[in-house]
Amino acid sequence: TTMLDKVMEEAYDQGIAGTGLHTWLFSDSVGTSVTHHNGAVRTYDIRNTMEKKLLKAYRGSGLLAATGGISELPEMESFNSLALAMRQMRTDKQDMSFLDAHLPQY
């Protein structure tokens, strides 16, 4: 059982997962917790009470993967232009000075 499974089991017990009223979205960094188990595609034993609960809890959830800069896709042209401009801005002392003055410092 993963930490994510424990969270989803509790969410199910609290009535905020598995009801069809809530959508849980996960980043791709938890992908293997949701989709794989011990290196294989994850399956659930519906005879097992906990796994039956998890199956219901995960139903309707989504997995998001952040990607960008895929030059083969025409719709990525705007993203690629923005990414290039931001990389160029990082090398400009005046731009960086402006950003440093306006962004929060941690």
Side-chain angles (χ1 to χ4, degrees):
T1 303
T2 66
M3 182 60 74
L4 183 60
D5 286 344
K6 292 176 185 177
V7 168
M8 292 307 292
E9 186 176 355
E10 182 62 28
Y12 180 85
D13 289 343
Q14 296 289 329
I16 57 174
T19 63
L21 299 174
H22 304 87
T23 302
W24 287 77
L25 299 174
F26 305 101
S27 72
D28 55 353
S29 64
V30 299
T32 56
S33 296
V34 176
T35 59
H36 290 78
H37 182 68
N38 295 333
V41 173
R42 185 159 188 180
T43 58
Y44 293 92
D45 180 358
I46 61 171
R47 295 167 293 182
N48 179 308
T49 304
M50 185 188 80
E51 289 196 3
K52 193 174 191 177
K53 190 186 296 189
L54 284 173
L55 180 62
K56 288 179 182 178
Y58 281 119
R59 184 175 293 140
S61 64
L63 195 63
L64 300 175
T67 60
I70 303 171
S71 59
E72 297 81 35
L73 300 176
E75 58 270 16
M76 294 300 292
E77 189 173 320
S78 295
F79 172 84
N80 292 336
S81 295
L82 174 63
L84 177 61
M86 292 183 78
R87 279 194 301 275
Q88 291 170 342
M89 183 175 61
R90 194 173 21 171
T91 61
D92 186 294
K93 289 182 189 227
Q94 187 175 0
D95 287 339
M96 290 308 296
S97 177
F98 175 83
L99 287 175
D100 286 341
H102 290 86
L103 294 175
Q105 301 295 314
Y106 298 100

